[in-house]
Amino acid sequence: MSRYAWALCLAGVLMASGARADEREVLVPEGEPESILAGATWSLMESVSSVAFSPDGRMVASGGNDNIVRLWDVATGRELRRLAKHTEPVRSVAFSPNGHTLASGSDDKTIRLWDVATGRELQRLVGHSESVSSVAFSPDGHTLASGSRDTSLRLWDVVTGHTLLHITGHSLSINSVAFSPDGRTLASGGDDTVRLWDVATGDELRTRDGLSASVLSVAFSPDGRTLATGHHDNKVQLWNVSAPNYLKLRLFEGHSEPVRSVAFSPDGRILVSGGDDDTIRLWDVATHSALQRLEGHTLPVSSVAFSPDGRTLVSGGWDAAIRLWDPVTGNLLRSLEAHTSALSSVTYSPDGRTLASGSWDAMIRLWDPVTGRQLRRLEGHTDSVLSVAFSPDGRTLASGSSDETVRLWDVAAQRKLPD
């Protein structure tokens, strides 16, 4: 069976991994009929491991099992260039904050830095002894962090390509790395631990190991001081990552099945969790009390997210329903049941005026979150849509599917569906 793992990152970055494709076709953008939303489709020769929007939303980078990094023009869907230096599959791509540099990590144990404007290779970073699974730029763009299956982290000087720090501590593969909003702390996840590191010294600041169950979901609070984790043993844990001993603030118990998704409200005061028990829970971060238990889904809740203003909560589930909730009262505002199969991803546009949903029915739908009216139906994928993400300006929607394509859609183009 094919395996897929998806993660949505900040600033419109969409990361995905998909099953290998059997097709061997020329990579050309495919146009969409006028009867559906205009967009670009990229059919890749091998599975896509990672895609990322540039900070200005004008370009997308993709890396996959064909060892190639590709740059695409979002407006036209045209492939701008191919960066073909890696000798094994590319697992992670990331733009620098200013969009001038692209980093790629590969199974060939190297990281490469590229000049986005010219496609020229700037640096080849060698040091890891196994596949590089994750790369991330610091907020100022001066430092690159990498995590590897060799169980180590490395911090690199982006200009010189020199290793600044080689950090060890994990006992198994490191799957994810992320900088804190101020760039002073690096978080890494792997084995059965979550670890925080001092970016300046490489010292381990605090560790949570021997966790009772695997971590399925992680979210930082907007101020970076608190970490929420959702676990396979049905628990949600809240950690004060600024405390010297990585203080566990609270163990939230209420779900009766694994917790698939956690998210903070924009002001950081409320934590929401969605679980396989078909429920959504709202928790008060300050008092650590349970606020609401939202029922309505009839199958596991796979995705939760707050609107940008924090006034509405959206959830998507395997029951193919999208539900909008008042997070203060817990009232169900409306239920949107248009998909014919499980919901995999729901997300708000940056301005909060549009809601996008992706489903196993191969369909993407755009909704007015105020009225609940369906605005558009985006047809083009031939298999399950696994993730959707808006570009930073909200004008473009990216979708990834198990049909092994990445598609970009012009959110404003074409006509609305008939009421």
Side-chain angles (χ1 to χ4, degrees), residues 49 64-68 86-91 105-108 131:
S49 299
N65 279 5
D66 59 3
N67 312 343
I68 296 173
H86 285 294
T87 58
E88 292 191 41
V90 177
R91 296 300 175 196
S106 168
D107 283 356
D108 65 10
S131 172

Side-chain angles (χ1 to χ4, degrees), residues 4 6 9 12-13 52 77 95 106 112 167 175 182 218 234 237 244 263 269 287 303 351 356 360 372 376 400:
Y4 296 87
W6 293 78
C9 303
V13 175
F95 281 94
S106 168
R112 296 176 190 261
I167 303 172
N175 301 315
D182 62 8
V218 176
N234 317 336
Q237 300 193 54
R269 296 179 180 179
T287 67
S303 184
D351 63 8
W360 293 0
R376 297 173 184 85

Side-chain angles (χ1 to χ4, degrees), residues 85-413:
K85 293 281 188 174
H86 285 294
T87 58
E88 292 191 41
V90 177
R91 296 300 175 196
S92 183
V93 293
F95 281 94
S96 61
N98 63 12
H100 296 167
T101 305
L102 181 75
S104 57
S106 168
D107 283 356
D108 65 10
K109 309 172 189 176
T110 72
I111 301 156
R112 296 176 190 261
L113 299 180
W114 312 87
D115 184 309
V116 173
T118 65
R120 182 171 64 91
E121 182 182 287
L122 300 174
Q123 301 284 353
R124 177 176 176 265
L125 311 182
V126 179
H128 285 295
S129 58
E130 295 291 344
S131 172
V132 178
S133 53
S134 183
V135 293
F137 279 94
S138 60
D140 63 10
H142 297 162
T143 305
L144 183 78
S146 59
S148 169
R149 291 179 185 170
D150 65 10
T151 75
S152 77
L153 296 160
R154 287 180 181 263
L155 294 179
W156 311 82
D157 185 306
V158 172
V159 175
T160 66
H162 294 158
T163 298
L164 300 174
L165 291 170
H166 178 218
I167 303 172
T168 59
H170 285 280
S171 60
L172 294 173
S173 175
I174 296 171
N175 301 315
S176 181
V177 295
F179 282 93
S180 61
D182 62 8
R184 297 178 181 178
T185 305
L186 182 72
S188 60
D191 44 55
D192 62 348
T193 69
V194 178
R195 299 172 187 261
L196 296 181
W197 312 87
D198 186 308
V199 171
T201 65
D203 292 339
E204 186 173 307
L205 299 175
R206 49 196 75 90
T207 302
R208 295 304 306 186
D209 55 10
L211 298 178
S212 59
S214 58
V215 178
L216 299 180
S217 49
V218 176
F220 271 102
S221 61
D223 63 8
R225 297 177 181 176
T226 306
L227 180 71
T229 54
H231 296 258
H232 196 271
D233 62 1
N234 317 336
K235 298 172 183 176
V236 178
Q237 300 193 54
L238 204 60
W239 312 89
N240 180 354
V241 295
S242 61
N245 61 347
Y246 205 115
L247 179 65
K248 181 165 73 173
L249 297 173
R250 180 71 176 181
L251 172 64
F252 296 116
E253 295 183 284
H255 287 287
S256 59
E257 296 288 343
V259 179
R260 296 243 167 228
S261 184
V262 293
F264 281 92
S265 61
D267 62 11
R269 296 179 180 179
I270 298 174
L271 178 71
V272 61
S273 57
D276 284 2
D277 59 4
D278 313 341
T279 71
I280 300 158
R281 311 264 176 164
L282 294 173
W283 315 91
D284 187 302
V285 173
T287 67
H288 311 152
S289 59
L291 297 175
Q292 302 283 352
R293 180 175 184 265
L294 311 182
E295 295 182 333
H297 287 285
T298 57
L299 286 173
V301 179
S302 55
S303 184
V304 292
F306 278 94
S307 61
D309 62 10
R311 295 179 180 178
T312 308
L313 175 70
V314 64
S315 60
W318 292 6
D319 58 3
I322 302 167
R323 300 185 188 277
L324 297 173
W325 312 82
D326 184 322
V328 176
T329 66
N331 291 336
L332 177 64
L333 301 177
R334 61 188 57 87
S335 182
L336 315 176
E337 300 183 10
H339 288 286
T340 58
S341 191
L343 262 293
S344 56
S345 183
V346 290
T347 185
Y348 275 94
S349 61
D351 63 8
R353 296 180 180 178
T354 304
L355 185 69
S357 60
S359 169
W360 293 0
D361 64 7
M363 198 78 67
I364 301 163
R365 297 176 190 266
L366 298 181
W367 310 84
D368 184 320
V370 175
T371 65
R373 187 167 61 93
Q374 182 177 294
L375 301 176
R376 297 173 184 85
R377 185 179 67 241
L378 316 186
E379 297 176 281
H381 284 296
T382 58
D383 208 337
S384 299
V385 177
L386 301 178
S387 192
V388 291
F390 281 95
S391 62
D393 63 7
R395 297 178 180 177
T396 305
L397 184 74
S399 59
S401 167
S402 49
D403 65 9
E404 285 124 20
T405 68
V406 177
R407 293 175 185 255
L408 295 181
W409 311 86
D410 185 331
V411 175

Side-chain angles (χ1 to χ4, degrees), residues 41-53:
T41 303
W42 307 322
S43 297
L44 305 178
M45 293 190 301
E46 294 283 355
S47 65
V48 179
S49 299
S50 182
V51 296
F53 272 106

